[in-house]
Amino acid sequence: MVECALTKQGQHFLKKVAISGDPSTTNNLIRRFVQNSPKSVSLSTLCHLLSPSTVQPHHSSIALPLYARIAEAPWYSWNPKIVAELAALLDKQEQYSAWETLISEATSKLESCSRDLALFYCKLLEYHSKQSSERGFEIAYSCLSHLLHSSSSSIYIRRRVYEHMVSGLCLMDRPCEAENLVKDMRTKSLEPSAFEFKSIMYGYGRLGLFQDLERILVQMEKEGFVIDTVCSNMVLSAYGIHGECSNMVSWLQRMRNSSIPFSVRTYNSVLNSCPVIMGKLVDLNDFPLSIEELNASLEGDEAMVVGELIKSTEILEEVMVWDSKQAKLDLHGLHLGSSYLIMLLWLQEMRRRLNDSSYAVPAEVVVVCGLGKHSNLRGQSPVKMLVKEMMVKMTSPLRIDDRKNNGCFVAKGKTVRDWLCFGHELEKTEYAKS
C-alpha cells in the first residue's frame, strides 16, 4: 500500500510548483522531480494529491501530468487503484475527456480478465463516492449493475460488487437505496454481511436519521451479528456529526454494560465532537492541566460524555507500557482531543504507580507523539505541539529528545517521580530557601 503522507521532498516540490507561474516551468519541475526522487516519494506525493482530504486542493491540478510522468518511469507498474483514484479526481474537476481516455485505457488492459475488470469498477465506484462525484459514480454503478446480471460472474465477484455498491450508495447519502440493494442480494441467494449492515446504519446516521440507525442495529442483532467496538464507534461518530452528546452518553453506557471495550477510535469519535474541549485546544492558551480541573470546567452532556470516558481505564493498557526499563505512552493514532484527555489520565496513573512501592520506578519515561509524518503537512504535528505546551505549563522534566527522536519527550524515571509525587513539596522548599 502506498503511504500518502507528504514527505519533505514532496512538500518542497509542491511549494516550487505553487510559485512556478507557467505550464512549461511546471512540467520541467515535474520531470526533474520524478527523475530525481525515489519511487516511494513520487508515489506518496501523487497519492497525497489524489486524496479527497488533502489540505492543498489547488495543487490537485498537477495530479494528471505527475501521473503521466510517473507512468513513464521504468520502475512503475500499472496500478488500477491509482488509476481509479485519479479518474475520480478528474471527474470532480470536470476533465471529462481526460477521464474517458484514462478509463478506456484501463478497461482495454483489463478486459481479458473479468475478475480484474470488476474489481477495477469497484474501486472506481469507491473513489467517485469519496469524491462525491455524481456523474462518475453513476457510470461505475451502471457498469457494476451490468456485471451483476452477467451469468459468468462468480459468487466472489458478485459479493465484492454488492459490497462496493452498498458502501458507495451510503457514501453518496443514499442509504435507503442501499437497503433495497441488500434485499436484492437475498433474491440472488447471497446473504449480506456485517459490512453491509454497518454501512447502511452509518449512512442513516450521517443523515441524522437515528430511528433508521436504531432499526438497522436491531435487525443486525436479530440476524446474529454482534454489535462490537467497530460498530459502536460508527454509532458514536454518527451521533457526533450532529452534536448528539446525550445519545453518545447513552451509547457509551450501553457499551460499558455490554462489556464492549473502548478503543482509541472510541475516544477519537467522541472527543472530536466535544465543542468545549476542542475549543480549549485551538490556541493552547487556556486548558485544564488535570482531570479534576477539566471536570470542573465542563457541564451538561459534555461533562457526562467525558465522565464515561474517564471511567474506562482499559485504554491506558492499550497505549502505555510499563517495566523497569521504560514507562512509555504512545499517542500514535490519537486525535488532538483524545491525546489531551489520555495525557491527563496517564499522568494521573503515573502518579498513582510511582507512589505505590509495588511498582518499580522505570529507568526512563517516554511520551511518543510522532514527527507529524501522518499529518496533512509533514512535520506539523498538532499532538506534539499540545504535549509540548502541556509539559511547559506543568514545568515537567519531560523534554523533546533532539538527539535520537524529536517526536518523543524523554526524562529519567526518578526525575519524573520527584516531579509528580514530590513536586509541590520541592516547590515549597525552594520558596522557603529564597
Side-chain angles (χ1 to χ4, degrees):
M1 183 177 176
V2 176
E3 174 58 67
C4 292
L6 194 59
T7 63
K8 287 184 178 179
Q9 195 172 343
Q11 194 172 335
H12 185 60
F13 161 67
L14 292 180
K15 284 181 179 177
K16 284 186 174 181
V17 168
I19 60 174
S20 62
D22 65 274
S24 177
T25 303
T26 298
N27 285 332
N28 284 332
L29 286 170
I30 292 172
R31 176 179 54 80
R32 291 200 298 270
F33 174 69
V34 175
Q35 283 180 348
N36 300 327
S37 301
K39 172 183 175 181
S40 59
V41 172
S42 295
L43 290 177
S44 65
T45 304
L46 176 61
C47 182
H48 174 79
L49 294 173
L50 296 178
S51 172
S53 61
T54 180
V55 296
Q56 302 161 313
H58 55 286
H59 286 150
S60 61
S61 60
I62 69 164
L64 181 59
L66 178 59
Y67 168 76
R69 185 64 64 176
I70 287 174
E72 295 173 356
W75 47 259
Y76 180 71
S77 298
W78 190 82
N79 187 321
K81 175 185 175 294
I82 290 177
V83 172
E85 262 191 294
L86 177 58
L89 179 62
L90 293 174
D91 191 69
K92 184 178 182 180
Q93 294 173 341
E94 299 183 359
Q95 296 191 53
Y96 300 134
S97 177
W99 182 93
E100 289 170 3
T101 300
L102 196 67
I103 297 301
S104 177
E105 290 174 354
T107 52
S108 295
K109 284 179 179 289
L110 299 171
E111 61 185 358
S112 61
C113 180
S114 58
R115 175 172 169 155
D116 289 345
L117 183 61
L119 295 177
F120 170 71
Y121 278 124
C122 285
K123 285 296 177 186
L124 199 63
L125 186 84
E126 176 186 341
Y127 290 119
H128 278 86
S129 61
K130 287 180 177 178
Q131 292 281 7
S132 300
S133 298
E134 291 278 356
R135 172 188 169 276
F137 177 85
E138 292 298 341
I139 293 172
Y141 191 91
S142 176
C143 292
L144 289 174
S145 295
H146 177 74
L147 285 172
L148 281 178
H149 295 94
S150 171
S151 58
S152 61
S153 296
S154 66
I155 292 177
Y156 171 83
I157 289 298
R158 291 205 298 273
R159 280 201 171 278
R160 295 289 77 75
V161 168
Y162 272 118
E163 179 181 295
H164 280 80
M165 289 174 74
V166 168
S167 175
L169 285 169
C170 293
L171 285 171
M172 297 296 285
D173 293 333
R174 293 154 63 177
C176 186
E177 292 176 58
E179 195 172 355
N180 289 332
L181 196 60
V182 166
K183 294 175 183 176
D184 185 62
M185 283 182 70
R186 296 186 192 275
T187 65
K188 304 291 194 303
S189 300
L190 292 173
E191 288 300 316
S193 68
F195 176 83
E196 283 82 28
F197 280 113
K198 288 175 183 177
S199 296
I200 295 168
M201 176 273 294
Y202 187 62
Y204 281 126
R206 289 202 326 160
L207 295 174
L209 301 173
F210 300 127
Q211 287 187 343
D212 289 303
L213 177 149
E214 290 286 351
R215 177 175 56 81
I216 297 299
L217 288 171
V218 169
Q219 187 178 350
M220 285 180 67
E221 290 185 301
K222 282 182 178 178
E223 300 203 18
F225 294 106
V226 175
I227 306 300
D228 57 8
T229 301
V230 172
C231 186
S232 296
N233 289 343
M234 295 172 79
V235 174
L236 290 167
S237 178
Y239 286 142
I241 290 170
H242 297 277
E244 293 285 336
C245 282
S246 59
N247 282 332
M248 285 197 288
V249 171
S250 299
W251 195 265
L252 288 168
Q253 291 171 344
R254 176 173 170 176
M255 289 177 70
R256 188 181 310 285
N257 294 335
S258 303
S259 299
I260 300 172
F262 291 4
S263 68
V264 164
R265 193 175 290 273
T266 306
Y267 281 72
N268 288 342
S269 298
V270 172
L271 290 167
N272 285 345
S273 306
C274 289
V276 175
I277 288 180
M278 295 311 297
K280 291 178 183 294
L281 301 180
V282 170
D283 55 13
L284 298 181
N285 282 328
D286 180 29
F287 55 88
L289 296 175
S290 70
I291 292 295
E292 293 75 19
E293 290 178 18
L294 176 61
N295 285 335
S297 71
L298 300 174
E299 56 185 28
D301 291 333
E302 189 165 345
M304 293 178 68
V305 165
V306 172
E308 289 299 322
L309 294 177
I310 289 173
K311 288 176 186 175
S312 173
T313 57
E314 59 201 15
I315 189 65
L316 287 177
E317 299 304 320
E318 184 177 343
V319 297
M320 74 179 289
V321 174
W322 181 290
D323 57 41
S324 60
K325 292 182 179 179
Q326 188 181 75
K328 181 171 72 172
L329 176 68
D330 190 343
L331 298 176
H332 279 116
L334 289 161
H335 296 177
L336 193 62
S338 305
S339 296
Y340 168 64
L341 182 60
I342 287 175
M343 273 292 295
L344 295 182
L345 290 171
W346 177 73
L347 288 168
Q348 184 174 269
E349 177 64 12
M350 286 285 290
R351 182 180 287 109
R352 185 188 72 80
R353 293 191 185 191
L354 291 170
N355 270 317
D356 185 341
S357 59
S358 65
Y359 287 94
V361 177
E364 182 181 59
V365 177
V366 180
V367 177
V368 182
C369 301
L371 297 170
K373 290 181 180 179
H374 302 285
S375 302
N376 285 316
L377 290 177
R378 182 188 174 97
Q380 297 183 10
S381 168
V383 170
K384 179 181 171 184
M385 293 168 63
L386 167 67
V387 174
K388 181 180 179 181
E389 192 66 23
M390 291 179 75
M391 296 298 95
V392 169
K393 287 180 180 295
M394 293 177 171
T395 61
S396 164
L398 286 154
R399 297 286 187 271
I400 293 174
D401 185 1
D402 292 319
R403 292 176 301 170
K404 296 180 181 179
N405 184 345
N406 66 7
C408 293
F409 291 77
V410 181
K412 293 184 182 299
K414 290 183 178 179
T415 307
V416 173
R417 179 200 59 189
D418 292 343
W419 167 61
L420 283 175
C421 301
F422 312 119
H424 293 301
E425 286 78 3
L426 290 172
E427 285 174 11
K428 290 176 183 177
T429 302
E430 292 298 320
Y431 179 76
K433 288 179 180 179
S434 65

